[in-house]
């Protein structure tokens, strides 16, 4: 097995330990994913696609009458 050494900002190791108790294993898995080309690529939409459409907001607020009234021109009295 090869050893790779790199520097990270202070506090990074503690953050990684909260994700996974074995930081070395976590880093090996992620390095392997990058090397195999399995890293998450694509746009923000591609990464959040599974979230699209999960909220039922009903009518669009941007076209609701009450919302549009505040932008309507006041008629001359």
């Amino acid at each position: 097995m090869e050893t790779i050494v790199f520097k990270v900002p202070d506090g990074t190791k503690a953050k990684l330990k909260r994700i996974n108790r074995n930081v070395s294993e976590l880093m090996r898995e992620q390095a392997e994913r990058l090397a195999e080309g399995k890293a998450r690529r694509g746009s923000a939409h591609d990464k959040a696609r599974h979230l699209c459409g999960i909220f039922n907001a009903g009518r669009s607020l941007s076209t609701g009458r009450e919302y549009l009234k505040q932008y309507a021109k006041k008629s001359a009295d």
Side-chain angles (χ1 to χ4, degrees):
M1 187 173 285
E2 292 182 65
T3 301
I4 299 174
V5 178
F6 59 96
K7 294 181 180 185
V8 295
D10 291 340
T12 301
K13 187 174 181 180
K15 290 177 187 176
L16 291 173
K17 279 195 173 280
R18 280 181 260 167
I19 295 170
N20 186 335
R21 62 190 174 280
N22 188 337
V23 176
S24 295
E25 181 182 338
L26 178 66
M27 298 308 293
R28 275 193 298 275
E29 289 172 4
Q30 294 304 314
E32 190 73 25
R33 286 182 71 196
L34 285 171
E36 291 177 0
K38 293 181 183 176
R40 292 179 121 185
R41 292 187 181 160
S43 68
H45 179 263
D46 291 338
K47 293 176 183 177
R49 183 179 308 241
H50 65 285
L51 299 174
C52 295
I54 63 171
F55 300 106
N56 183 10
R59 258 182 30 199
S60 172
L61 297 177
S62 65
T63 58
R65 287 186 182 270
E66 294 302 314
Y67 178 81
L68 291 176
K69 278 183 186 177
Q70 66 182 325
Y71 296 106
K73 290 183 180 180
K74 305 276 184 193
S75 60
D77 292 327

